[in-house]
């Protein structure tokens, strides 16, 4: 989820229950980040789930170890918890805008292409956000999404 309200990386579906760090490893996201997040010597990071391993391009909350967390580390964790909630809003919006994605009621994993349906629902939700509808995440971060034309152009390039 990008701060402009668009889902920018989507991977899966994954068979059976999987640990987040295992899905991260298999997704190839870390390799993608190494090519996309280093711009002219400046390294950018994304903030991830606490289950993800910390890397040069992936940051997470400070963890209690042998030493207690400093006040600054605690403040960082509290502030970033709000960011993680905003990410969940984006995924909730995909399901709210595409009623056919209500897994418990409609989807049959072995009878339908659930991954393809979710991908289409995500694409349509991203288009809706670009048109100025449902920008809860972009409002939270104060970053406008691209125009629909620019978004679709980038998807096709």
């Amino acid at each position: 989820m990008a701060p402009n309200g668009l889902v920018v990386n989507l991977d899966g579906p994954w068979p059976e229950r999987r640990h987040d760090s295992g899905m991260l490893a298999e997704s190839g996201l870390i390799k993608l980040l190494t090519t996309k997040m280093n711009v002219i010597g400046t390294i950018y990071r994304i903030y991830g789930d606490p289950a993800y391993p910390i890397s040069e391009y992936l940051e997470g909350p400070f963890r209690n170890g042998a030493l207690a967390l400093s006040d600054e580390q605690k403040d960082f964790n509290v502030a970033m918890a709000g960011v993680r909630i905003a990410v969940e809003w984006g995924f909730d919006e995909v399901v709210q805008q595409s009623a056919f994605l209500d897994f418990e009621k409609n989807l049959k994993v072995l009878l339908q292409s659930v991954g393809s349906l979710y991908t289409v629902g995500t694409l349509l939700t991203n288009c809706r956000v670009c048109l100025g509808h449902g920008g809860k995440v972009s409002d939270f971060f104060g970053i406008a999404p691209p125009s629909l034309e620019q978004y679709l152009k980038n998807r096709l390039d």
Side-chain angles (χ1 to χ4, degrees), residues 7-83:
V7 175
V8 294
N9 186 275
L10 187 63
D11 200 71
W14 298 94
E16 66 210 36
R17 297 188 131 260
R18 303 285 308 276
H19 192 274
D20 288 349
S21 62
M23 289 186 288
L24 174 67
E26 289 185 37
S27 73
L29 178 61
I30 298 297
K31 184 177 180 179
L32 177 67
L33 292 176
T34 63
T35 62
K36 302 290 184 184
M37 300 295 278
N38 188 338
V39 181
I40 312 172
T42 301
I43 295 174
Y44 294 91
R45 294 178 161 199
I46 62 172
Y47 188 80
D49 190 278
Y52 295 160
I54 303 302
S55 76
E56 187 173 15
Y57 301 97
L58 183 61
E59 185 65 69
F62 290 99
R63 295 177 177 96
N64 282 332
L67 302 173
L69 296 179
S70 69
D71 288 340
E72 291 83 11
Q73 291 170 326
K74 290 175 187 174
D75 291 344
F76 176 85
N77 284 353
V78 169
M80 295 308 285
V83 170

Side-chain angles (χ1 to χ4, degrees), residues 105-124:
K105 296 177 186 171
N106 298 322
L107 297 182
K108 310 293 187 256
V109 175
L110 298 176
L111 299 176
Q112 297 168 303
S113 181
V114 175
S116 295
L117 291 172
Y118 192 85
T119 299
V120 169
T122 301
L123 176 65
L124 293 173

